């Protein structure tokens, strides 16, 4: 059982809006138990990066339960088409892939039985959602382009997102909002918007598939989008080609490495 004082210490030094450059290694080194690391991981905001998770993965205090949780939240399925040791062009993906490899290498050495700590990967194991071929095809319509600035979007709170979605006056504006979608809860108002079209719905699908597919509520929504596109629920106004979008990772069939059985078991 973690004391409130230790929780307060962790919350104060590693709050969810803390940027990576402001992380304190000195504060991290004051953590003294596997339970404290587990609490830290449970509070981590993955949108701020994975440097802190690297520190946890390299700590001798890390338990197998905590390591497994980090591993599955890193969405390892997204990286199985790359060889272990391969460097990626995208810096953020490279950092996450390096984290996954650290966890794979160190997993046998993490403490297997720590009181109060457990993790079941069952909900996170890829259910292999069948994706029809048309989901990877370009949609018809006006050529899409992105004019929103990433730095501006990063400053939006949920209320700002909802206001931007609601006030979108053109399909292209709604497309630009969807381009930066990274929260499952924001997908529904975009899909329900009267200006949402086939291109925007396809974009939303691939953003959710890339960033949110491990959330338990994601597969039903992904299936719903596929069904609606298959039934021509949305008109075609905006042209969007998933295979050309740098922010979209289309699934690749050939796997270069396997997830060890131990990481698929509850701990």
């Amino acid at each position: 059982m973690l004391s409130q004082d230790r929780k307060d210490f962790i919350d104060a030094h590693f709050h969810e809006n803390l940027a990576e450059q402001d992380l304190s290694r000195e504060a991290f080194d004051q953590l003294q138990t596997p339970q404290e690391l587990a609490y830290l991981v449970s509070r981590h905001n993955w949108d701020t990066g994975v440097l802190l998770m690297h520190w946890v993965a390299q700590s001798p205090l890390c338990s197998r339960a905590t390591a497994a949780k980090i591993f599955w939240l890193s969405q390892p399925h997204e990286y199985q088409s790359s060889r272990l040791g391969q460097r990626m062009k995208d810096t953020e993906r490279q950092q996450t892939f390096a984290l996954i490899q650290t966890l794979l290498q160190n997993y046998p050495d993490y403490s297997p039985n720590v009181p109060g700590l457990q993790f079941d990967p069952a909900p996170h194991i890829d259910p292999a959602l069948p994706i029809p071929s048309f989901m990877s095809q370009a949609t018809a319509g006006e050529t899409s382009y992105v004019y929103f600035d990433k730095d501006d979007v990063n400053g939006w709170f949920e209320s700002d997102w909802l206001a931007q979605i609601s006030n979108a006056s053109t399909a292209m504006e709604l497309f630009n909002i969807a381009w930066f979608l990274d929260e499952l809860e924001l997908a529904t108002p975009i899909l329900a918007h009267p200006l949402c079209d086939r291109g925007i719905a396809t974009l939303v699908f691939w953003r959710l598939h890339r960033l949110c597919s491990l959330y338990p509520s994601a597969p039903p929504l992904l299936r719903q989008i596929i069904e609606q596109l298959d039934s021509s629920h949305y008109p075609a106004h905006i042209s969007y080609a998933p295979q050309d979008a740098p922010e979209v990772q289309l699934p690749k069939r050939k796997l270069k490495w396997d997830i060890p059985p131990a990481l698929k078991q509850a701990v």
Side-chain angles (χ1 to χ4, degrees), residues 90-184:
D90 183 88
T91 301
E92 292 183 4
R93 286 180 59 77
Q94 172 57 33
Q95 291 172 345
T96 302
F97 194 30
L99 173 61
I100 289 170
Q101 292 176 79
T102 296
L103 293 163
L104 287 170
Q105 180 178 346
N106 294 349
Y107 193 73
D109 299 325
Y110 294 128
S111 303
N113 298 307
V114 177
L117 300 184
Q118 56 275 323
F119 179 76
D120 185 357
H124 300 271
I125 296 176
D126 189 1
L129 175 72
I131 301 176
S133 59
F134 67 78
M135 293 299 303
S136 300
Q137 298 172 1
T139 63
E142 178 187 357
T143 301
S144 58
Y145 55 93
V146 178
Y147 57 84
F148 273 29
D149 185 85
K150 183 178 180 180
D151 290 337
D152 291 338
V153 175
N154 285 343
W156 291 355
F157 294 102
E158 182 177 358
S159 58
D160 299 317
W161 273 93
L162 293 174
Q164 292 285 345
I165 295 169
S166 177
N167 295 330
S169 59
T170 66
M172 194 63 71
E173 183 179 2
L174 190 63
F175 178 90
N176 271 256
I177 296 170
W179 184 265
F180 295 98
L181 174 69
D182 60 4
E183 294 289 343
L184 188 65

Side-chain angles (χ1 to χ4, degrees), residues 179-199:
W179 184 265
F180 295 98
L181 174 69
D182 60 4
E183 294 289 343
L184 188 65
E185 295 77 10
L186 297 170
T188 298
I190 293 177
L191 294 168
H193 196 287
L195 292 174
C196 185
D197 82 320
R198 190 173 185 86

Side-chain angles (χ1 to χ4, degrees), residues 59-75:
S59 171
L61 296 174
C62 185
S63 68
R64 283 191 187 176
T66 298
K69 182 174 185 176
I70 298 173
F71 178 82
W72 286 105
L73 291 179
S74 299
Q75 299 187 343

